[in-house]
Amino acid sequence: MDYSSEIHLVPCGKERYISKNELLLHLKTYNLYYEGQNLQLRHREEEGEFIVEGLLNISWGLRRPIRLQMQDDNQRIRPPPSSSSWHSGCNLGEHGSVIKPSTLPDIQVTDAEPSMDGDETDSAVDAKDLKAEQEDAPQLMRTRSDVGVRRRGNLRTPSEQRRLKRHRFSINGHFYNHKTSVFTPAYGSITNVRINSTMTTPQVLKLLLNKFKIENSAEEFALYIVHTSGEKQKLKATDYPLIARVLQGPCEQISKVFLMEKDQVEEVTYDVAQYIKFEMPVLKSFIQKLKEEEDREVKKLKRKYSVLRVMIERRLEEISEGPVTM
């Protein structure tokens, strides 16, 4: 009989499982804590597999700047092209304008919309302004992401284009342009991603980096569960962050999930974390007490083996002085 199928085990890591009933109890507590909020989690079964899905809060814990993807204002972000999309063959002209394919679908244009000539003039002016701004900041290496262009639904006015030129993306309220495309998010600020319980740690990392168009490799980072006691537990590549969050409990005043650099953080075990909050004089007194205890144990061992050595030497003397038997 398959024991795992009988009690419905749910994987929570490499060769680690939790029963479905126990996980449902944790999930119930989690959702009660976030009642009425969008952080509540849902669960379903798909082809016999128990799946939990919802938003996971992740705190920024980076010490070094991150690089954000860049593109010109007259380049539009679009999904990867497909053979069925009419604009999949679009590319950019000399000044960033769109070179249109030979055949286009019928598009209704009303008289209220501005003409395309005016838009191309605005795009050319914006391209020149952007080039001038880039020359003013030569110390920042401008990166370019693999993004294409997409058809615009509504034409933007020059003022809107200037606003987009200044403000491109936003992470927790931090607007940036090509001059601030390298920056460090505020330590402890929170973001979230929508994931499910089948996604491993590397998959969650890639999803988070793609959400904010971060060009750094996911290999540079790791997810840590950080407790208020100072304990830091690194999530392994085979762990499932959403399951780990549910098992830790919902209260983020006790523990949080942090995104940190791999080479900047060391794991802190529970035993070590107990002493982190103490002041230095208290820690020194602990060390002194441990040293005194160590000295007492060393003296006890020395006395014990000294007695054994005397007994062995005495026995050897008795054997050497005894009559020799034929």
Side-chain angles (χ1 to χ4, degrees), residues 168-214:
R168 296 191 174 182
F169 301 104
S170 172
I171 293 184
N172 297 330
H174 178 95
F175 289 97
Y176 58 91
N177 53 30
H178 72 280
K179 290 186 177 180
T180 59
S181 63
V182 179
F183 82 108
T184 306
Y187 189 91
S189 58
I190 298 176
T191 184
N192 55 60
V193 287
R194 185 170 295 277
I195 61 174
N196 61 53
S197 58
T198 65
M199 298 177 67
T200 59
T201 303
Q203 291 174 325
V204 175
L205 284 172
K206 291 179 181 178
L207 184 64
L208 178 62
L209 298 186
N210 289 336
K211 176 180 178 180
F212 295 107
K213 300 177 178 62
I214 298 174

Side-chain angles (χ1 to χ4, degrees), residues 66-326:
I66 55 176
R67 301 185 305 276
L68 306 173
Q69 291 180 1
M70 299 285 294
Q71 79 281 332
D72 294 336
D73 290 328
N74 52 359
Q75 292 178 341
R76 304 296 178 230
I77 300 174
R78 65 171 176 84
S82 61
S83 58
S84 60
S85 59
W86 70 268
H87 58 279
S88 60
C90 291
N91 50 27
L92 294 178
E94 181 179 358
H95 297 289
S97 60
V98 177
I99 298 176
K100 299 181 180 179
S102 57
T103 59
L104 297 176
D106 294 334
I107 302 176
Q108 295 181 357
V109 180
T110 62
D111 296 336
E113 295 181 351
S115 63
M116 292 299 296
D117 294 337
D119 179 68
E120 291 178 356
T121 303
D122 293 337
S123 299
V125 173
D126 290 340
K128 293 179 180 178
D129 294 340
L130 179 60
K131 183 177 180 181
E133 288 183 13
Q134 292 169 355
E135 293 175 354
D136 294 338
Q139 72 277 9
L140 290 178
M141 295 185 63
R142 183 175 181 272
T143 59
R144 179 168 176 168
S145 58
D146 298 329
V147 297
V149 296
R150 65 178 174 88
R151 179 179 55 177
R152 296 200 307 179
N154 296 318
L155 299 178
R156 294 189 176 92
T157 63
S159 61
E160 290 177 337
Q161 290 179 355
R162 285 193 294 271
R163 179 179 59 82
L164 291 173
K165 187 175 182 178
R166 294 190 300 269
H167 297 165
R168 296 191 174 182
F169 301 104
S170 172
I171 293 184
N172 297 330
H174 178 95
F175 289 97
Y176 58 91
N177 53 30
H178 72 280
K179 290 186 177 180
T180 59
S181 63
V182 179
F183 82 108
T184 306
Y187 189 91
S189 58
I190 298 176
T191 184
N192 55 60
V193 287
R194 185 170 295 277
I195 61 174
N196 61 53
S197 58
T198 65
M199 298 177 67
T200 59
T201 303
Q203 291 174 325
V204 175
L205 284 172
K206 291 179 181 178
L207 184 64
L208 178 62
L209 298 186
N210 289 336
K211 176 180 178 180
F212 295 107
K213 300 177 178 62
I214 298 174
E215 289 194 340
N216 299 65
S217 172
E219 298 295 329
E220 301 178 22
F221 308 105
L223 293 179
Y224 291 82
I225 295 180
V226 180
H227 296 258
T228 53
S229 62
E231 180 184 358
K232 293 180 182 178
Q233 176 188 356
K234 179 182 176 181
L235 293 181
K236 301 177 182 177
T238 55
D239 288 339
Y240 303 98
L242 191 58
I243 296 292
R245 172 75 265 183
V246 172
L247 296 182
Q248 288 291 330
C251 183
E252 294 192 351
Q253 295 180 355
I254 298 177
S255 63
K256 294 183 178 181
V257 178
F258 268 84
L259 174 71
M260 297 179 170
E261 295 97 340
K262 283 183 178 179
D263 58 350
Q264 295 289 313
V265 183
E266 292 185 2
E267 289 190 78
V268 179
T269 62
Y270 173 76
D271 294 333
V272 175
Q274 297 181 74
Y275 300 99
I276 290 181
K277 300 297 182 181
F278 290 105
E279 299 292 336
M280 188 58 68
V282 179
L283 292 175
K284 287 182 178 180
S285 66
F286 287 159
I287 294 175
Q288 182 64 29
K289 293 293 183 182
L290 291 173
K291 189 176 184 305
E292 293 175 358
E293 185 176 352
E294 180 185 11
D295 292 339
R296 287 195 298 267
E297 292 296 325
V298 169
K299 290 179 181 179
K300 287 173 60 177
L301 287 174
K302 284 183 177 180
R303 286 198 299 268
K304 176 182 177 180
Y305 287 104
S306 295
V307 173
L308 289 175
R309 185 179 61 212
V310 171
M311 292 175 61
I312 292 173
E313 290 176 350
R314 185 178 302 170
R315 181 57 182 164
L316 289 174
E317 290 178 359
E318 293 177 355
I319 293 175
S320 61
E321 293 176 357
V324 179
T325 57
M326 298 299 294

Side-chain angles (χ1 to χ4, degrees), residues 9-14 16-20 23-24 27 41-46 48-56 193-204 207 235-247:
L9 293 179
V10 178
C12 55
K14 185 178 181 181
R16 293 188 295 114
Y17 299 89
I18 183 174
S19 68
K20 175 183 173 182
L23 181 58
L24 283 173
L27 193 59
L41 303 177
R42 297 178 299 174
H43 63 87
R44 56 187 170 86
E45 288 197 25
E46 185 175 318
E49 184 178 11
F50 186 78
I51 299 176
V52 181
E53 56 188 2
L55 290 174
L56 173 66
V193 287
R194 185 170 295 277
I195 61 174
N196 61 53
S197 58
T198 65
M199 298 177 67
T200 59
T201 303
Q203 291 174 325
V204 175
L207 184 64
L235 293 181
K236 301 177 182 177
T238 55
D239 288 339
Y240 303 98
L242 191 58
I243 296 292
R245 172 75 265 183
V246 172
L247 296 182

